[in-house]
Amino acid sequence: MDSVFARARKHFHTALLSSVLNADAQGVPTNADRHSQASVAFASGILSRVGSGIGELRLAGQTSGRQFEGACKQFIEETYLQLKHLRPSEWSVESVGTRNRLLIAPFEQYAHLIALYQAAEENAELAALLSSDYTITPDIIISRQPEDNLTLNAQGAIVDDQTALWASLRKRNNVRPLLHASISCKWTIRSDRSQNSRSEALNLIRNRKGHLPHIAVVTGEPLPARIASIALGTGDIDCVYHFALTELVETVENLNSDSLELLQIMIDGKRLKDISDLPLDLAV
């Protein structure tokens, strides 16, 4: 019998095959750069291993992105929410679907951004100084609610009215949800936009008050060199997760491509993992 994660991974790929992942009449997969021979070869290898897409028209970029985000959110709900025995709490997985720059302000770590935004609205000099430093627009967010005394003291008198009076996890002190993870979804990676995820990650790091959320990127990009533009390096993104890493590795090995070395560097360096690794990493 398949595990929960194995079933969810199959569901994930089935959802992609019925929406964003297929090949056009010329046999070019929808996540491939048709101007790159390697991109088409890698994407075709992945597609043949994941399933067989029916020849449909390539979706517009934004539509592809939304379909990919939806499939990623469904996968996270099917897997991460099964881990409540490891991380018990009231969790929420949301697809953002908007570019509102104050999107994360309702969360405890970023509530001060509202005051910052209002001050910038009233002061042009301050607005010019801040520029877009506090603009953070993730695709999927995971949050948890603060805990009441009944839960905190379920195993005994852990806290009382004289201790832990400022801890954000305690509902007595804070009613706002806590941002647990910010996930960017990139169906493909264009070189001119590859650094957007890094910029937003740095904004999350710089502008927080309190615990830093997990910061992850999920991609369907077939070219290891483009994946490396986000994955390599440290200090901003936790890790990049590929929608079909096992199939990508098999394809690159089968084609005896020079890209295998770069792919192995990212995997061995813990900078690139499979989508099935994401739920457990989020449970840390």
Side-chain angles (χ1 to χ4, degrees):
M1 177 184 293
D2 285 342
S3 66
V4 170
F5 281 18
R7 289 198 304 272
R9 193 174 188 273
K10 287 180 181 177
H11 293 163
F12 177 58
H13 288 163
T14 299
L16 294 177
L17 287 167
S18 63
S19 56
V20 68
L21 179 59
N22 51 61
D24 64 16
Q26 287 74 45
V28 178
T30 47
N31 59 335
D33 179 350
R34 64 173 62 252
H35 302 295
S36 165
Q37 192 173 3
S39 177
V40 174
F42 294 164
S44 298
I46 293 170
L47 182 58
S48 68
R49 287 167 171 78
V50 168
S52 54
I54 301 170
E56 298 284 351
L57 292 176
R58 182 182 290 246
L59 299 173
Q62 283 192 336
T63 304
S64 299
R66 284 195 296 272
Q67 299 277 7
F68 187 53
E69 288 171 24
C72 290
K73 175 178 178 286
Q74 183 180 357
F75 175 81
I76 293 168
E77 287 178 327
E78 282 188 49
T79 52
Y80 183 69
L81 298 184
Q82 296 293 322
L83 302 176
K84 288 187 176 180
H85 59 298
L86 300 177
R87 295 296 299 265
S89 186
E90 184 180 341
W91 295 98
S92 175
V93 181
E94 299 174 66
S95 183
V96 175
T98 175
R99 299 291 96 181
N100 183 352
R101 67 188 340 188
L102 290 178
L103 174 80
I104 62 169
F107 299 100
E108 168 65 7
Q109 303 102 306
Y110 300 95
H112 59 284
L113 293 183
I114 293 176
L116 194 62
Y117 176 78
Q118 290 173 342
E121 284 283 288
E122 297 169 1
N123 187 318
E125 193 171 336
L126 180 60
L129 180 65
L130 292 172
S131 183
S132 59
D133 282 354
Y134 57 94
T135 300
I136 306 165
T137 54
D139 296 314
I140 298 172
I141 51 179
I142 302 175
S143 62
R144 67 176 298 178
Q145 294 295 325
E147 306 292 351
D148 58 26
N149 282 353
L150 191 63
T151 302
L152 292 171
N153 292 327
Q155 302 298 319
I158 306 296
V159 295
D160 54 32
D161 289 339
Q162 282 76 50
T163 56
L165 302 182
W166 293 276
S168 299
L169 183 60
R170 193 175 185 186
K171 189 174 287 184
R172 177 188 188 279
N173 309 328
N174 164 52
V175 296
R176 298 187 185 93
L178 302 163
L179 185 61
H180 178 72
S182 168
I183 301 169
S184 293
C185 302
K186 305 289 186 189
W187 175 229
T188 59
I189 297 174
R190 285 174 50 182
S191 57
D192 60 334
R193 294 183 179 176
S194 65
Q195 300 309 310
N196 287 3
S197 297
R198 284 184 182 278
S199 300
E200 292 199 357
L202 290 172
N203 285 345
L204 275 169
I205 294 168
R206 283 195 297 251
N207 288 295
R208 80 189 192 279
K209 287 184 178 179
H211 188 267
L212 179 66
H214 290 279
I215 304 172
V217 176
V218 182
T219 185
E221 172 62 46
L223 272 180
R226 292 189 182 177
I227 298 171
S229 69
I230 296 179
L232 291 182
T234 58
D236 39 39
I237 296 166
D238 293 358
C239 189
V240 175
Y241 298 84
H242 196 270
F243 88 109
L245 183 59
T246 305
E247 292 80 359
L248 174 59
V249 172
E250 288 177 359
T251 298
V252 175
E253 286 177 340
N254 188 53
L255 293 172
N256 198 24
S257 168
D258 292 342
S259 296
L260 183 60
E261 181 179 1
L262 178 58
L263 199 54
Q264 209 59 55
I265 287 173
M266 290 188 285
I267 295 170
D268 292 345
K270 300 179 181 178
R271 304 305 298 142
L272 178 63
K273 299 182 183 181
D274 184 73
I275 184 72
S276 59
D277 295 305
L278 177 59
L280 286 180
D281 284 355
L282 292 173
V284 173

Coordinates of all heavy atoms in Angstrom, one line a residue, residues 8-86:
A8 N -0.1 11.3 -2.2 CA -0.3 12.8 -2.4 C 0.6 13.2 -3.6 O 0.2 14.1 -4.4 CB 0.1 13.5 -1.2
R9 N 1.8 12.6 -3.7 CA 2.7 13.0 -4.9 C 2.0 12.6 -6.2 O 2.1 13.3 -7.2 CB 4.0 12.3 -4.7 CG 5.2 12.8 -5.6 CD 6.5 12.2 -5.2 NE 7.6 12.7 -6.0 CZ 8.0 12.4 -7.2 NH1 7.4 11.4 -7.8 NH2 9.1 12.9 -7.8
K10 N 1.4 11.4 -6.2 CA 0.7 11.0 -7.4 C -0.5 11.9 -7.7 O -0.7 12.3 -8.9 CB 0.2 9.5 -7.3 CG 1.3 8.5 -7.3 CD 0.7 7.1 -7.2 CE 1.8 6.0 -7.2 NZ 1.3 4.6 -7.0
H11 N -1.2 12.3 -6.7 CA -2.3 13.2 -6.9 C -1.8 14.5 -7.4 O -2.5 15.1 -8.3 CB -3.1 13.4 -5.5 CG -3.8 12.2 -5.0 ND1 -4.2 12.1 -3.7 CD2 -4.1 11.1 -5.6 CE1 -4.8 10.9 -3.5 NE2 -4.7 10.3 -4.7
F12 N -0.7 15.0 -6.9 CA -0.1 16.2 -7.3 C 0.2 16.2 -8.8 O -0.1 17.1 -9.6 CB 1.2 16.4 -6.5 CG 2.0 17.7 -6.8 CD1 1.4 18.9 -6.7 CD2 3.3 17.5 -7.1 CE1 2.2 20.1 -7.0 CE2 4.1 18.7 -7.4 CZ 3.5 19.9 -7.4
H13 N 0.9 15.1 -9.2 CA 1.2 15.0 -10.6 C 0.0 14.8 -11.5 O -0.1 15.4 -12.6 CB 2.2 13.8 -10.8 CG 3.6 14.1 -10.3 ND1 4.5 13.1 -10.0 CD2 4.2 15.2 -9.9 CE1 5.6 13.6 -9.6 NE2 5.4 14.9 -9.5
T14 N -1.0 14.1 -11.0 CA -2.2 14.0 -11.8 C -2.9 15.3 -12.0 O -3.4 15.7 -13.1 CB -3.2 13.0 -11.1 OG1 -2.6 11.7 -11.0 CG2 -4.5 12.9 -11.8
A15 N -2.9 16.1 -10.9 CA -3.5 17.5 -11.0 C -2.8 18.3 -12.0 O -3.4 19.1 -12.8 CB -3.5 18.1 -9.6
L16 N -1.4 18.2 -12.0 CA -0.7 19.0 -13.0 C -0.9 18.5 -14.4 O -1.0 19.3 -15.4 CB 0.8 18.9 -12.7 CG 1.3 19.6 -11.3 CD1 2.8 19.3 -11.1 CD2 1.0 21.1 -11.4
L17 N -1.0 17.2 -14.6 CA -1.2 16.6 -15.9 C -2.6 17.1 -16.5 O -2.8 17.1 -17.7 CB -1.1 15.1 -15.9 CG 0.3 14.5 -15.7 CD1 0.2 13.1 -15.4 CD2 1.1 14.8 -17.0
S18 N -3.5 17.3 -15.6 CA -4.9 17.7 -16.1 C -5.0 19.2 -16.2 O -6.1 19.7 -16.5 CB -5.9 17.2 -15.1 OG -5.8 17.7 -13.8
S19 N -3.9 19.9 -15.9 CA -4.0 21.4 -16.0 C -2.8 22.0 -16.8 O -2.9 22.3 -18.0 CB -4.1 22.0 -14.6 OG -3.0 21.6 -13.8
V20 N -1.7 22.1 -16.1 CA -0.6 22.9 -16.6 C 0.5 22.1 -17.3 O 1.2 22.6 -18.1 CB 0.0 23.7 -15.5 CG1 0.7 22.9 -14.5 CG2 0.9 24.8 -16.0
L21 N 0.6 20.8 -17.0 CA 1.7 19.9 -17.5 C 1.2 19.1 -18.7 O 0.4 18.1 -18.5 CB 2.2 19.1 -16.4 CG 3.4 18.1 -16.8 CD1 4.6 18.9 -17.4 CD2 3.8 17.3 -15.6
N22 N 1.6 19.4 -19.9 CA 1.3 18.6 -21.1 C 2.3 19.0 -22.2 O 3.2 19.8 -21.9 CB -0.1 18.8 -21.5 CG -0.5 20.2 -21.6 OD1 0.0 20.9 -22.4 ND2 -1.5 20.6 -20.8
A23 N 2.1 18.5 -23.4 CA 2.9 18.9 -24.5 C 2.1 19.4 -25.6 O 0.9 19.0 -25.8 CB 3.7 17.6 -25.0
D24 N 2.7 20.3 -26.4 CA 1.9 20.9 -27.5 C 2.0 20.0 -28.7 O 2.5 18.9 -28.7 CB 2.4 22.3 -27.8 CG 3.8 22.3 -28.3 OD1 4.4 21.2 -28.7 OD2 4.5 23.4 -28.3
A25 N 1.4 20.4 -29.8 CA 1.4 19.6 -31.0 C 2.7 19.2 -31.6 O 2.9 18.2 -32.2 CB 0.6 20.3 -32.1
Q26 N 3.8 20.0 -31.2 CA 5.1 19.7 -31.7 C 5.9 18.8 -30.7 O 7.1 18.5 -30.8 CB 5.9 21.0 -31.9 CG 5.5 21.8 -33.1 CD 4.2 22.5 -33.0 OE1 4.0 23.1 -32.0 NE2 3.3 22.4 -34.0
G27 N 5.2 18.4 -29.6 CA 5.8 17.6 -28.6 C 6.6 18.3 -27.6 O 7.4 17.7 -26.8
V28 N 6.5 19.7 -27.5 CA 7.3 20.5 -26.6 C 6.5 20.6 -25.3 O 5.4 21.1 -25.3 CB 7.6 21.9 -27.1 CG1 8.4 22.7 -26.1 CG2 8.4 21.8 -28.4
P29 N 7.0 20.1 -24.2 CA 6.3 20.2 -22.9 C 6.1 21.6 -22.5 O 6.9 22.5 -22.8 CB 7.2 19.4 -21.9 CG 8.0 18.5 -22.7 CD 8.3 19.3 -24.0
T30 N 5.1 21.9 -21.7 CA 4.7 23.2 -21.3 C 5.6 23.9 -20.4 O 5.6 25.1 -20.2 CB 3.3 23.2 -20.7 OG1 3.2 22.2 -19.8 CG2 2.2 23.0 -21.8
N31 N 6.5 23.1 -19.7 CA 7.4 23.7 -18.8 C 8.8 23.8 -19.4 O 9.8 24.2 -18.8 CB 7.6 22.9 -17.5 CG 8.0 21.5 -17.7 OD1 7.8 20.9 -18.8 ND2 8.6 20.9 -16.7
A32 N 8.9 23.6 -20.7 CA 10.2 23.7 -21.4 C 10.3 25.0 -22.1 O 9.3 25.6 -22.6 CB 10.3 22.5 -22.4
D33 N 11.6 25.4 -22.3 CA 11.9 26.6 -23.1 C 12.2 26.0 -24.5 O 13.2 25.3 -24.7 CB 13.2 27.2 -22.5 CG 13.6 28.4 -23.4 OD1 13.1 28.6 -24.5 OD2 14.5 29.2 -23.0
R34 N 11.3 26.3 -25.4 CA 11.4 25.6 -26.8 C 12.6 26.1 -27.5 O 13.0 25.5 -28.5 CB 10.1 25.9 -27.6 CG 9.9 27.4 -27.9 CD 8.7 27.5 -28.9 NE 7.5 27.1 -28.4 CZ 6.9 25.9 -28.8 NH1 7.4 25.2 -29.7 NH2 5.7 25.6 -28.2
H35 N 13.3 27.1 -27.1 CA 14.5 27.6 -27.7 C 15.8 26.9 -27.1 O 16.9 27.2 -27.6 CB 14.6 29.1 -27.6 CG 13.5 29.9 -28.1 ND1 13.1 29.9 -29.5 CD2 12.5 30.6 -27.5 CE1 12.0 30.6 -29.7 NE2 11.6 31.1 -28.5
S36 N 15.6 26.1 -26.2 CA 16.7 25.4 -25.6 C 16.5 23.9 -25.8 O 15.6 23.3 -25.3 CB 16.8 25.7 -24.1 OG 17.6 24.8 -23.4
Q37 N 17.5 23.3 -26.5 CA 17.4 21.8 -26.8 C 17.4 21.0 -25.5 O 16.7 20.0 -25.3 CB 18.6 21.4 -27.7 CG 18.4 20.0 -28.3 CD 19.5 19.7 -29.3 OE1 20.4 20.5 -29.5 NE2 19.5 18.6 -29.9
A38 N 18.3 21.4 -24.5 CA 18.4 20.7 -23.3 C 17.1 20.8 -22.5 O 16.6 19.8 -21.9 CB 19.6 21.2 -22.5
S39 N 16.5 22.0 -22.5 CA 15.3 22.2 -21.7 C 14.2 21.3 -22.2 O 13.4 20.7 -21.5 CB 14.8 23.7 -21.8 OG 13.6 23.9 -21.2
V40 N 14.0 21.2 -23.6 CA 13.0 20.4 -24.2 C 13.3 18.9 -23.8 O 12.4 18.1 -23.5 CB 12.9 20.6 -25.7 CG1 12.0 19.6 -26.3 CG2 12.5 22.0 -26.0
A41 N 14.6 18.5 -23.9 CA 14.9 17.1 -23.7 C 14.6 16.7 -22.2 O 14.0 15.6 -21.9 CB 16.4 16.9 -24.0
F42 N 15.0 17.6 -21.3 CA 14.8 17.3 -19.8 C 13.3 17.3 -19.5 O 12.8 16.4 -18.8 CB 15.5 18.3 -19.0 CG 17.0 18.3 -19.1 CD1 17.8 19.3 -18.6 CD2 17.7 17.2 -19.6 CE1 19.2 19.3 -18.7 CE2 19.0 17.1 -19.8 CZ 19.8 18.2 -19.3
A43 N 12.6 18.3 -20.0 CA 11.1 18.3 -19.7 C 10.4 17.1 -20.3 O 9.5 16.6 -19.7 CB 10.6 19.7 -20.2
S44 N 10.8 16.7 -21.5 CA 10.2 15.6 -22.2 C 10.4 14.3 -21.4 O 9.5 13.5 -21.2 CB 10.7 15.4 -23.6 OG 10.4 16.5 -24.4
G45 N 11.7 14.2 -20.9 CA 12.0 13.0 -20.0 C 11.1 12.9 -18.8 O 10.6 11.9 -18.4
I46 N 11.0 14.1 -18.1 CA 10.2 14.2 -16.9 C 8.7 13.8 -17.3 O 8.1 13.0 -16.6 CB 10.2 15.6 -16.3 CG1 11.6 15.9 -15.8 CG2 9.2 15.7 -15.2 CD1 11.8 17.3 -15.4
L47 N 8.2 14.4 -18.3 CA 6.8 14.2 -18.7 C 6.5 12.7 -19.0 O 5.5 12.2 -18.6 CB 6.4 15.1 -19.9 CG 5.0 15.0 -20.4 CD1 4.0 15.4 -19.3 CD2 4.8 15.9 -21.6
S48 N 7.5 12.1 -19.7 CA 7.3 10.6 -20.0 C 7.3 9.8 -18.8 O 6.6 8.7 -18.7 CB 8.3 10.2 -21.0 OG 9.6 10.1 -20.4
R49 N 8.0 10.2 -17.7 CA 8.0 9.4 -16.5 C 6.9 9.7 -15.5 O 6.4 8.9 -14.8 CB 9.4 9.7 -15.8 CG 10.6 9.1 -16.4 CD 11.9 9.6 -15.9 NE 13.0 8.8 -16.4 CZ 13.5 9.0 -17.7 NH1 13.0 9.8 -18.5 NH2 14.5 8.2 -18.1
V50 N 6.4 11.0 -15.6 CA 5.3 11.4 -14.7 C 4.0 10.9 -15.2 O 3.1 10.5 -14.5 CB 5.3 12.9 -14.5 CG1 4.0 13.4 -13.9 CG2 6.5 13.4 -13.7
G51 N 3.9 10.9 -16.5 CA 2.6 10.5 -17.1 C 2.6 11.0 -18.6 O 3.7 11.3 -19.1
S52 N 1.5 11.1 -19.2 CA 1.4 11.5 -20.6 C 0.4 12.6 -20.7 O -0.8 12.4 -20.5 CB 1.1 10.4 -21.5 OG -0.1 9.8 -21.1
G53 N 0.9 13.8 -20.9 CA 0.0 15.0 -21.1 C -0.7 14.9 -22.4 O -0.1 14.6 -23.4
I54 N -1.9 15.3 -22.4 CA -2.6 15.4 -23.7 C -2.3 16.7 -24.4 O -2.2 17.7 -23.7 CB -4.1 15.3 -23.4 CG1 -4.4 14.0 -22.7 CG2 -4.9 15.4 -24.7 CD1 -5.8 13.9 -22.2
G55 N -2.1 16.7 -25.6 CA -1.7 17.9 -26.4 C -2.7 19.0 -26.2 O -3.8 19.0 -26.8
E56 N -2.4 20.0 -25.4 CA -3.3 21.1 -25.2 C -2.4 22.4 -25.5 O -1.2 22.3 -25.6 CB -3.8 21.2 -23.8 CG -4.6 20.0 -23.3 CD -6.0 20.1 -23.9 OE1 -6.4 21.2 -24.4 OE2 -6.7 19.1 -23.7
L57 N -3.1 23.5 -25.7 CA -2.4 24.7 -25.9 C -1.7 25.1 -24.7 O -2.1 24.9 -23.5 CB -3.4 25.8 -26.3 CG -4.0 25.6 -27.7 CD1 -5.1 26.8 -27.9 CD2 -3.0 25.6 -28.8
R58 N -0.5 25.7 -24.8 CA 0.3 26.2 -23.7 C -0.5 27.4 -23.0 O -0.9 28.3 -23.7 CB 1.6 26.7 -24.2 CG 2.5 27.2 -23.1 CD 3.8 27.7 -23.7 NE 4.6 26.6 -24.2 CZ 5.8 26.3 -23.7 NH1 6.3 26.9 -22.6 NH2 6.5 25.3 -24.2
L59 N -0.6 27.3 -21.7 CA -1.4 28.3 -21.0 C -0.5 29.6 -20.9 O 0.7 29.5 -20.9 CB -1.7 27.8 -19.6 CG -2.6 26.6 -19.5 CD1 -2.8 26.1 -18.1 CD2 -4.0 26.9 -20.1
A60 N -1.2 30.7 -20.7 CA -0.5 32.0 -20.5 C 0.3 31.9 -19.2 O -0.1 31.1 -18.3 CB -1.4 33.1 -20.5
G61 N 1.4 32.7 -19.1 CA 2.2 32.5 -17.9 C 1.5 32.6 -16.6 O 1.7 31.8 -15.7
Q62 N 0.7 33.7 -16.4 CA 0.0 33.8 -15.2 C -1.0 32.7 -14.9 O -1.1 32.3 -13.7 CB -0.8 35.2 -15.2 CG 0.1 36.4 -15.0 CD -0.7 37.6 -14.7 OE1 -1.8 37.7 -15.1 NE2 -0.1 38.6 -14.0
T63 N -1.6 32.2 -15.9 CA -2.6 31.1 -15.7 C -1.8 29.8 -15.3 O -2.2 29.1 -14.4 CB -3.3 30.8 -17.1 OG1 -4.0 32.0 -17.5 CG2 -4.4 29.7 -16.9
S64 N -0.7 29.6 -16.0 CA 0.2 28.4 -15.6 C 0.6 28.6 -14.1 O 0.5 27.6 -13.4 CB 1.4 28.4 -16.5 OG 1.1 28.2 -17.8
G65 N 1.0 29.8 -13.7 CA 1.4 30.0 -12.4 C 0.3 29.7 -11.4 O 0.6 29.1 -10.4
R66 N -0.9 30.2 -11.7 CA -2.0 29.9 -10.7 C -2.3 28.5 -10.6 O -2.6 28.0 -9.6 CB -3.2 30.7 -11.2 CG -3.1 32.2 -10.9 CD -4.5 32.9 -11.0 NE -5.0 32.9 -12.4 CZ -4.8 33.8 -13.3 NH1 -4.0 34.8 -13.0 NH2 -5.3 33.6 -14.5
Q67 N -2.3 27.7 -11.8 CA -2.6 26.3 -11.8 C -1.6 25.6 -10.9 O -1.9 24.7 -10.2 CB -2.6 25.8 -13.2 CG -3.7 26.4 -14.1 CD -5.0 25.7 -13.9 OE1 -5.2 24.9 -13.1 NE2 -6.0 26.1 -14.8
F68 N -0.3 26.0 -11.1 CA 0.8 25.3 -10.3 C 0.6 25.6 -8.8 O 0.8 24.7 -8.0 CB 2.1 25.8 -10.9 CG 3.3 25.1 -10.3 CD1 3.4 23.7 -10.3 CD2 4.4 25.8 -9.7 CE1 4.5 23.1 -9.8 CE2 5.4 25.2 -9.2 CZ 5.5 23.8 -9.2
E69 N 0.3 26.9 -8.5 CA 0.1 27.2 -7.1 C -1.0 26.4 -6.5 O -0.9 25.9 -5.4 CB -0.3 28.7 -7.0 CG 0.9 29.7 -7.2 CD 0.4 31.1 -7.3 OE1 -0.7 31.4 -6.8 OE2 1.1 31.9 -8.0
G70 N -2.1 26.2 -7.2 CA -3.2 25.5 -6.7 C -2.9 24.0 -6.4 O -3.3 23.5 -5.4
A71 N -2.1 23.4 -7.3 CA -1.7 22.0 -7.1 C -0.7 21.9 -5.9 O -0.8 21.0 -5.2 CB -1.0 21.5 -8.4
C72 N 0.2 22.9 -5.8 CA 1.1 22.9 -4.7 C 0.3 23.0 -3.3 O 0.7 22.3 -2.4 CB 2.1 24.0 -4.8 SG 3.3 23.8 -6.1
K73 N -0.6 23.9 -3.3 CA -1.4 24.1 -2.1 C -2.1 22.8 -1.7 O -2.2 22.4 -0.5 CB -2.4 25.2 -2.3 CG -3.4 25.4 -1.1 CD -4.3 26.5 -1.3 CE -5.3 26.7 -0.2 NZ -6.4 25.7 -0.2
Q74 N -2.7 22.1 -2.7 CA -3.4 20.9 -2.5 C -2.5 19.8 -1.9 O -2.8 19.1 -1.0 CB -4.1 20.4 -3.7 CG -4.9 19.1 -3.6 CD -5.6 18.7 -4.9 OE1 -5.4 19.3 -5.9 NE2 -6.2 17.5 -4.8
F75 N -1.3 19.8 -2.5 CA -0.3 18.8 -2.0 C 0.1 19.1 -0.5 O 0.2 18.1 0.3 CB 1.0 18.8 -2.9 CG 2.1 17.9 -2.4 CD1 2.0 16.6 -2.6 CD2 3.1 18.5 -1.6 CE1 3.1 15.7 -2.2 CE2 4.1 17.6 -1.1 CZ 4.1 16.3 -1.4
I76 N 0.3 20.3 -0.2 CA 0.7 20.7 1.2 C -0.4 20.3 2.1 O -0.2 19.8 3.2 CB 1.1 22.1 1.2 CG1 2.4 22.4 0.4 CG2 1.3 22.6 2.7 CD1 2.7 23.9 0.2
E77 N -1.7 20.6 1.7 CA -2.8 20.3 2.6 C -2.9 18.7 2.8 O -3.2 18.3 3.9 CB -4.1 20.8 2.0 CG -4.2 22.3 2.1 CD -5.5 22.8 1.5 OE1 -5.9 22.2 0.5 OE2 -6.1 23.8 1.9
E78 N -2.6 18.0 1.8 CA -2.7 16.5 1.9 C -1.6 15.9 2.7 O -1.8 14.8 3.2 CB -2.7 15.9 0.5 CG -4.0 16.0 -0.3 CD -3.9 15.2 -1.6 OE1 -3.5 14.0 -1.5 OE2 -4.3 15.7 -2.6
T79 N -0.5 16.6 2.8 CA 0.6 16.0 3.5 C 0.9 16.7 4.9 O 0.9 16.0 5.9 CB 1.9 16.1 2.6 OG1 2.0 17.5 2.2 CG2 1.7 15.2 1.4
Y80 N 1.1 18.0 4.8 CA 1.6 18.7 6.1 C 0.5 18.6 7.2 O 0.9 18.4 8.4 CB 1.9 20.1 5.8 CG 2.4 20.9 7.0 CD1 3.6 20.6 7.5 CD2 1.6 21.8 7.7 CE1 4.1 21.2 8.7 CE2 2.0 22.4 8.8 CZ 3.3 22.1 9.3 OH 3.8 22.8 10.4
L81 N -0.7 18.6 6.8 CA -1.8 18.6 7.8 C -1.9 17.2 8.4 O -2.7 17.0 9.3 CB -3.1 19.1 7.2 CG -3.1 20.5 6.8 CD1 -4.5 20.9 6.3 CD2 -2.7 21.5 7.9
Q82 N -1.2 16.2 7.8 CA -1.2 14.8 8.4 C -0.2 14.7 9.5 O 0.0 13.6 10.1 CB -0.9 13.8 7.3 CG -1.9 13.7 6.2 CD -3.2 13.1 6.7 OE1 -3.2 12.2 7.5 NE2 -4.3 13.6 6.2
L83 N 0.6 15.8 9.7 CA 1.7 15.7 10.7 C 1.4 16.3 12.0 O 2.3 16.8 12.7 CB 3.0 16.4 10.0 CG 3.4 15.8 8.7 CD1 4.6 16.5 8.1 CD2 3.8 14.3 8.9
K84 N 0.1 16.4 12.3 CA -0.3 17.1 13.6 C 0.2 16.4 14.8 O 0.3 16.9 15.9 CB -1.8 17.3 13.6 CG -2.3 18.3 12.7 CD -3.8 18.6 12.9 CE -4.2 19.7 12.0 NZ -5.7 20.1 12.1
H85 N 0.6 15.1 14.7 CA 1.2 14.3 15.8 C 2.6 14.8 16.1 O 3.1 14.7 17.2 CB 1.2 12.8 15.6 CG 1.9 12.4 14.3 ND1 1.6 12.8 13.1 CD2 3.0 11.6 14.2 CE1 2.4 12.3 12.2 NE2 3.3 11.6 12.9
L86 N 3.2 15.4 15.0 CA 4.6 16.0 15.2 C 4.5 17.5 15.6 O 5.3 18.0 16.4 CB 5.4 15.9 13.9 CG 5.6 14.5 13.4 CD1 6.4 14.5 12.1 CD2 6.4 13.7 14.5

